[in-house]
Amino acid sequence: TAAEREGKSRYVVEKRYVRADGAIVWVRIDQGFIRDTRGEATSVVAVVEDITARKNAEDEVRRLAEVRERMAVEAAGMGVWDMDLRTGTLVWSDSHFHILGYEPTPDGHATPEMWRRLIDPTDLPTILEALATARSSGSLYTLAHRVRRADDGRTLWEYIAEPGSEV
């Protein structure tokens, strides 16, 4: 094994397996080597533990945290969005779509053009400069700018304060 070649005496990993019936089983493998007086591995001792219940509980905790966050954001009248700076892919929360006057997409995906066309043209150069600086330096940025809602054209102020770093 790689652990043996690297001279490690112990190797621990969590792995996901799919059983023949399609059920997912998570296991934790704790493997150790028994070495002779020269340090050569002569035997392997391994303990395999079923950690499926723990992984399912962790998934449920994550899911509930996401539900709580979504409820808090929506109750506060805020929207959340993420952008992959490498691909330009945007994902908006349902509330962000609604704030900007759009109907949410099933997968939450939006395009930079959907956002850009709503920005007041006099604010656009400042926004693009702030985003470019944040992207190149990894610094934080804060923006307040005007947007025109897509559905009724009303002008709103959008306030953005978040890290401008790649994910």
Side-chain angles (χ1 to χ4, degrees):
T1 67
E4 183 181 3
R5 285 190 303 275
E6 294 171 9
K8 294 181 181 177
S9 59
R10 187 169 178 215
Y11 175 76
V12 179
V13 65
E14 292 181 359
K15 293 180 75 170
R16 182 181 79 118
Y17 292 97
V18 180
R19 295 190 327 204
D21 65 2
I24 293 175
V25 177
W26 280 93
V27 298
R28 178 178 186 268
I29 303 168
D30 191 337
Q31 174 180 306
F33 298 98
I34 298 174
R35 299 184 183 278
D36 63 18
T37 56
R38 295 182 317 250
E40 297 292 322
T42 59
S43 302
V44 176
V45 176
V47 176
V48 179
E49 176 186 6
D50 183 343
I51 59 170
T52 305
R54 187 192 89 205
K55 287 292 195 176
N56 289 342
E58 289 171 356
D59 287 346
E60 183 63 9
V61 167
R62 255 189 307 279
R63 188 190 69 75
L64 290 173
E66 290 169 2
V67 167
R68 285 186 196 102
E69 179 183 353
R70 185 174 56 249
M71 289 172 62
V73 165
E74 290 174 2
M78 298 186 315
V80 176
W81 58 271
D82 297 297
M83 181 178 192
D84 183 325
L85 296 174
R86 292 163 294 193
T87 65
T89 303
L90 281 170
V91 178
W92 291 354
S93 65
D94 285 357
S95 58
H96 194 71
F97 276 100
H98 290 299
I99 289 167
L100 296 179
Y102 287 112
E103 281 300 313
T105 60
D107 60 3
H109 283 101
T111 65
E113 184 54 36
M114 289 171 68
W115 173 71
R116 186 182 283 220
R117 76 171 142 241
L118 302 179
I119 297 172
D120 185 290
T122 58
D123 293 342
L124 188 58
T126 303
I127 294 165
L128 295 178
E129 180 182 339
L131 291 173
T133 300
R135 186 178 195 177
S136 66
S137 68
S139 63
L140 299 177
Y141 65 93
T142 300
L143 298 172
H145 62 88
R146 292 165 287 188
V147 293
R148 290 180 315 279
R149 284 179 50 100
D151 56 356
D152 61 17
R154 284 186 299 139
T155 299
L156 306 172
W157 281 91
E158 184 174 51
Y159 180 75
I160 302 171
E162 63 181 286
S165 58
E166 293 186 12
V167 176

